[in-house]
Amino acid sequence: MMFSENVAQAVGRVSMRSETFINGRFRPARSGETLACITPIDGSEIGRISAGDARDIDDAVAAARTSFEAGHWRKMGPRDKRKILLDFADKIEANADELALLETLDMGKPIAHTKSVDIPLVVQAIRYYAEAIDKVNDELGPAPHNAVSMIVREPVGVVGAVTPWNFPLLMASWKFAPALATGNSVIMKPAEQASLTMLRAAELAAEAGLPEGVLNVVPGDGAAAGKALALHMDVDSVVFTGSTAVGKLIMGYAAQSNLKRVALECGGKSPQIVMEDCPDFDAAANAAAWAVFYDQGQVCTAGTRLLVQNSIKAEFLKKVAAVAKGLAPGDPLDPATQFGALVDETQMNTVLGYIEKGASEGATLVCGGERALGQSGGFYVQPTIFDGVTNKMTIAREEIFGPVISAIGFDNFDQAMMIANDTIYGLAAGIWTKDLNTAHRAARTLRAGNVWVNCWDGSDITTPFGGFKQSGFGRDRSLHALDKYTELKTIWMQLSS
Ligand code: NAD
């Protein structure tokens, strides 16, 4: 097996930053403790990262507060701020190959995807919010002739961001880019499974001229560093992407501490609905498969509940299964690989546990269902499809966060809508139909923050992203994201004439 040789070579080609980044400097965690950085490609330890805890969070918050009060960033002219963020984006782009390699080593997604999707989208996000700095205006309100009513946005202050491992730097950039663009000072707590790109990115931000203390990174366990950040009395806002269970804890920490602002991007169990008048079976089957198998199913918007009208279900699932069978898991470092590893052994075992549960609750395994490439030492699971799923089964209700499709049959439109909305989540939903009326009726009926018609995952940095129900609240991406990082202030000036 070549995987280990490839890992060793790749590790030699990256600069691995592993310590906390506080006030513009790398330094070990106060405790001196470290966490193993295991690559899921072959299960080997490729380094160790600082295990930040409450003391490091205290230091990072103090640095952020000092920088915020000093105003070196907050009060900087809009065009100067914009230039620094654009330079930061340029540096990410110039180091894109290294960042893509770090991401693939750290969390196992194919290098083909980190190069063509993750890192380019990070650059796009930073540039978009940099450009917003000198293009978004405040408001003047109606007022009598001898008064001025101003409605201005001010930075919320010190922002803490707790982020996941599935698109590590991309999810982080959807937080730090708008937070920085609006003049805040920020502390990032990346996921313990994948912190390497955020640490390297912070170094690049400093090289681009971001003043010290404005962007800090404290890696470490969620229950130590993440909790301390969300509980901190001097953090003004906490923004989170991750599971619904941890999102609920974060809300609790905010309530127990200083009523800091909270925004949550949580999990999903998204329905993809295929009507019998689907315009293109092959395109829909391909999209339905990739809606779950992309990033090995570790995508919050994964369309894991595949609702297919019974009249076409057998024929349609055959096509989806053909796509799944063509997607053999492979070495994520091989540029030809399209389907890589799960993030770690725990996640692999969780996914295999759900597969067992699906079979034991009576669903029919169509393909996959096994661990793959076990001799590599890495953490791989075959693309898996279950048919005969009912919406009551565990694999239709809980977020698996792995490459598992749960196919559910339905007879008519109303039944499809009822099944689709019968979930605690509301992140995404999609429908395939030729009929404009059906499409529009579905789009308005589905309770989800993103609805796709005859596609999956159509989106852009200009469109808001976030969920209904227990998928969270607050929006990433688009100019609406700026709301999370600003307070509205009304200034009413009484004049003498
Ligand atoms: P997770 O909830 O386990 O962890 C997310 C982050 O929270 C990590 O940084 C972790 O260290 C931290 N954390 C864990 N326990 C904590 C605690 N007690 N206090 C504070 N922080 C804590 O999620 P994950 O496994 O990293 O990511 C997968 C989840 O993220 C899935 O549920 C997925 O749907 C969700 N996700 C959502 C979106 C979205 O935009 N809606 C995007 C990506 C991922």
Side-chain angles (χ1 to χ4, degrees), residues 82-142:
R82 171 175 165 271
K83 180 168 186 327
I84 288 175
L85 287 191
L86 289 176
D87 286 352
F88 178 24
D90 289 348
K91 285 188 184 292
I92 300 264
E93 195 166 51
N95 291 278
D97 285 353
E98 186 200 16
L99 287 161
L101 203 49
L102 274 175
E103 207 77 296
T104 290
L105 279 169
D106 218 6
M107 61 74 65
K109 69 169 69 177
I111 188 76
H113 298 174
T114 50
K115 269 192 179 180
S116 67
V117 179
D118 290 68
I119 306 304
L121 290 183
V122 170
V123 173
Q124 188 189 69
I126 301 172
R127 286 194 178 136
Y128 177 80
Y129 288 107
E131 290 295 349
I133 292 176
D134 64 355
K135 295 174 189 64
V136 176
N137 296 331
D138 285 332
E139 301 163 38
L140 281 184

Side-chain angles (χ1 to χ4, degrees), residues 30-173:
R30 286 238 183 198
S31 66
E33 298 291 322
T34 55
L35 300 170
C37 187
I38 307 282
T39 178
I41 297 174
D42 66 356
S44 66
E45 183 174 316
I46 55 170
R48 301 197 66 88
I49 54 163
S50 292
D53 64 19
R55 284 171 293 169
D56 305 288
I57 291 291
D58 280 345
D59 293 344
V61 173
R65 177 60 63 193
T66 303
S67 73
F68 186 75
E69 295 303 334
H72 300 310
W73 177 247
R74 174 170 60 100
K75 294 182 186 165
M76 189 184 282
R79 263 178 294 282
D80 294 334
K81 271 204 207 104
R82 171 175 165 271
K83 180 168 186 327
I84 288 175
L85 287 191
L86 289 176
D87 286 352
F88 178 24
D90 289 348
K91 285 188 184 292
I92 300 264
E93 195 166 51
N95 291 278
D97 285 353
E98 186 200 16
L99 287 161
L101 203 49
L102 274 175
E103 207 77 296
T104 290
L105 279 169
D106 218 6
M107 61 74 65
K109 69 169 69 177
I111 188 76
H113 298 174
T114 50
K115 269 192 179 180
S116 67
V117 179
D118 290 68
I119 306 304
L121 290 183
V122 170
V123 173
Q124 188 189 69
I126 301 172
R127 286 194 178 136
Y128 177 80
Y129 288 107
E131 290 295 349
I133 292 176
D134 64 355
K135 295 174 189 64
V136 176
N137 296 331
D138 285 332
E139 301 163 38
L140 281 184
H145 75 281
N146 59 347
V148 181
S149 159
M150 295 191 282
I151 302 151
V152 299
R153 288 169 185 268
E154 294 195 350
V156 83
V158 171
V159 173
V162 179
T163 54
W165 46 258
N166 62 338
F167 291 81
L169 191 56
L170 182 59
M171 292 301 102
S173 72

